[in-house]
Amino acid sequence: MSTQQGPEERPPSGEEHSPSGSPSGDEHPAHGDEHPAHGDEHPAHGDEHPAHGAHGRPPTRAEKWASYRQSPYVPAFVLLFILAAAAGLFAGSYTYTMADPTPRHIPSAVVGDVQSRGGKVFIEGMEKALDASLQLRPYATRAAAREAMEEQKVFVTLRPDGQRVAMDIAGAAGATVAQLLAETGAKVAKETGTPVTITDVKPLQKGDPRGLALFYISLAAVIVGFVGAIQLSVHARALDPFERIVFTVAYSLLGGFSIAAVVDWLIGALDLPFVESWLILAFTMFTSGMVFTMFNTIMGRWAMLPTWGLMVLLGNPSSGGAVSWPLLPSALGEIGRWLPPGASVNAQHTAVYYQGHQVAFPFLVLGAWSLVSCTVFWVWRHRHPGGRARMPEHAATAA
C-alpha cells in the first residue's frame, strides 16, 4: 500500500533545503557575521609584511629638506624678512629724500650787471645761506630769462640794479625750491641790507598750494598700474599674452580717466588740460602694469620685489614731484628722470603749468619702458604663469 504525501506536507518554500541540506535563511548566518571584516581577519599590510626599501627607514636630511621646501612654510618665512626689509627701506627712502631737502646746484638766470655792489653781495649771501652754488646763466633781457623759466631751464631770475635786486621765482617749478629761495632771499636781504623785491611769476594753482597734487595723481597711476597687473594674474590667469596686453591698455585708459575726472571735475583741486593729463596718466598706468608683467615673466611669484623697488622705493622719491630735483641728492635727481614715475611727473607738470613747452623726453622714457617690458613678456610669454592650455590642431579638428 503506497502512501502519498499531500501538498500540505511539503516543506514551505521559505524552508526549502539548500544544497547542504539546511534551510537557507536559518542555517547560515549573514555574510557579515560568518566572515569577519577583512580588516579584522587579515592584519594590516604594514603589520603582516615588514616594510621594505625606502619606506622602511627614516627619511634622510636631504629628503626632509626637499619635503620642507615644497611646504608653504619656506615662502612664508622668506616673506617675513622681505616685508620687514621693505617696510624699513620704504620709510628710509622717503625720509632720506623728503624730510630735509638740501639744495646743491640751483640753475639761475641773471639779467644785468652781476658785479654791481648789490648784486654781488646778495648772490654771495645767498650761496652762503643755502650752502649751495647758484649756477648763474646770463640773459640779455628779462623776457629771455622768463622764457628760460618757461622751458624749466632755470628756477630763479636775479636782476641786480645798482643797490637793489629783483628776484623772480616760479612756484610751479617746485614749491619747495620756491619757498626755500623766497625765505632765504628775505633773510639775506635783511642781513646784508640789500633791498630785494621777490615776485612769484609762475604761482601754483589755488587748489594745490603745496604743489603735491601732481605727485599724488602720478603716484596713484603708478601703484594702481602694477596692482592691476597683479590682479589680472590672480583673477584672470587664463588670459593669453595678447589678451593680457589688451586688458592692461583698457584698465589704464579707464583708470587714467577716473583719476583725472576726480581731481579736476569732482574735487576741483587742479585745472587740468584734461585729455593730455588723462593720456599721460593712462600711459603711466600701462607702463607700470607691463613692468610688473615683465618681472612676473622673469621671476614668477617674486615679481613684486623688483617692481616695488623700482617704482616705489626708488622711482617715486626721486620723481621730483614732492621735492624738486635741485633739492634731491644729486644721484637720485639724475636717476629719477629715467624712471617711469619721474617721467610721469615731468610730463604732467609741464602739461599743467608750462603749456606750449612740452618736451618729448618724458614720453620717450615711458615708451622705452613699455616697449622693453612688452618685448620681454612677448618673447618669453611661455614662461609667464598664465594663459590657456590649447589642444593641438589635429585634436581640435577631431573634436
Side-chain angles (χ1 to χ4, degrees):
M1 182 174 172
S2 62
T3 60
Q4 293 181 351
Q5 187 177 13
E8 68 279 1
E9 296 180 7
R10 294 177 182 174
S13 60
E15 298 178 359
E16 289 183 357
H17 295 287
S18 64
S20 61
S22 59
S24 61
D26 299 332
E27 185 171 5
H28 291 288
H31 181 73
D33 298 333
E34 180 180 5
H35 300 287
H38 182 73
D40 299 334
E41 181 178 359
H42 301 289
H45 180 73
D47 299 332
E48 182 179 1
H49 301 290
H52 54 80
H55 303 288
R57 57 174 173 78
T60 63
R61 286 187 178 181
E63 290 170 342
K64 287 182 179 179
W65 174 243
S67 176
Y68 180 72
R69 288 182 60 186
Q70 299 302 318
S71 74
Y73 301 113
V74 172
F77 275 112
V78 171
L79 283 173
L80 288 178
F81 295 101
I82 289 176
L83 293 174
L89 290 172
F90 182 77
S93 64
Y94 279 73
T95 303
Y96 175 64
T97 56
M98 299 181 185
D100 186 23
T102 304
R104 279 127 182 112
H105 306 285
I106 301 178
S108 308
V110 177
V111 179
D113 185 9
V114 73
Q115 296 299 324
S116 66
R117 182 180 181 280
K120 185 175 182 180
V121 170
F122 182 76
I123 291 172
E124 289 177 352
M126 286 288 291
E127 291 184 332
K128 182 178 180 181
L130 292 171
D131 193 20
S133 64
L134 299 178
Q135 294 180 333
L136 301 177
R137 302 176 183 180
Y139 291 89
T141 63
R142 184 182 181 185
R146 178 65 184 272
E147 183 64 19
M149 294 185 77
E150 290 288 337
E151 295 174 356
Q152 302 180 70
K153 295 178 179 179
V154 296
F155 285 83
V156 60
T157 297
L158 301 174
R159 292 182 286 116
D161 184 11
Q163 299 290 328
R164 304 180 62 86
V165 175
M167 183 168 71
D168 295 339
I169 60 174
T176 49
V177 174
Q179 180 181 0
L180 182 65
L181 290 171
E183 292 176 352
T184 306
K187 179 182 176 181
V188 171
K190 185 177 180 180
E191 291 177 350
T192 60
T194 304
V196 176
T197 303
I198 301 174
T199 306
D200 190 347
V201 297
K202 180 69 73 171
L204 292 162
Q205 295 185 15
K206 292 182 178 179
D208 184 28
R210 303 297 300 171
L212 295 176
L214 295 181
F215 171 69
Y216 291 144
I217 66 174
S218 299
L219 177 64
V222 167
I223 293 180
V224 176
F226 68 72
V227 168
I230 294 172
Q231 294 305 304
L232 284 182
S233 297
V234 174
H235 300 291
R237 185 183 182 88
L239 288 175
D240 283 343
F242 179 75
E243 296 169 340
R244 188 174 297 275
I245 294 175
V246 169
F247 274 93
T248 304
V249 171
Y251 79 66
S252 298
L253 287 171
L254 288 176
F257 181 88
S258 176
I259 294 172
V262 168
V263 171
D264 189 348
W265 299 345
L266 184 61
I267 300 177
L270 289 172
D271 182 16
L272 299 174
F274 193 86
V275 174
E276 186 176 3
S277 291
W278 166 28
L279 294 179
I280 292 170
L281 291 167
F283 201 178
T284 303
M285 289 185 70
F286 176 77
T287 303
S288 182
M290 290 311 302
V291 165
F292 172 82
T293 304
M294 173 184 67
F295 285 129
N296 199 22
T297 303
I298 298 172
M299 302 182 63
R301 63 183 176 182
W302 300 110
M304 187 60 182
L305 293 179
T307 305
W308 182 264
L310 182 70
M311 294 293 190
V312 179
L313 295 184
L314 181 60
N316 283 320
S318 64
S319 66
V323 176
S324 299
W325 281 315
L327 303 185
L328 290 172
S330 55
L332 286 180
E334 292 300 322
I335 292 173
R337 303 168 190 263
W338 296 89
L339 299 179
S344 178
V345 169
N346 191 356
Q348 198 71 253
H349 181 255
T350 304
V352 174
Y353 288 110
Y354 296 92
Q355 297 179 20
H357 294 83
Q358 187 64 270
V359 294
F361 179 74
F363 297 97
L364 293 175
V365 171
L366 290 172
W369 279 98
S370 295
L371 180 61
V372 170
S373 300
C374 289
T375 302
V376 171
F377 169 55
W378 190 260
V379 171
W380 284 283
R381 59 189 180 276
H382 60 281
R383 296 184 54 182
H384 189 272
R388 292 190 293 276
R390 299 190 181 277
M391 285 190 294
E393 186 175 351
H394 64 277
T397 303

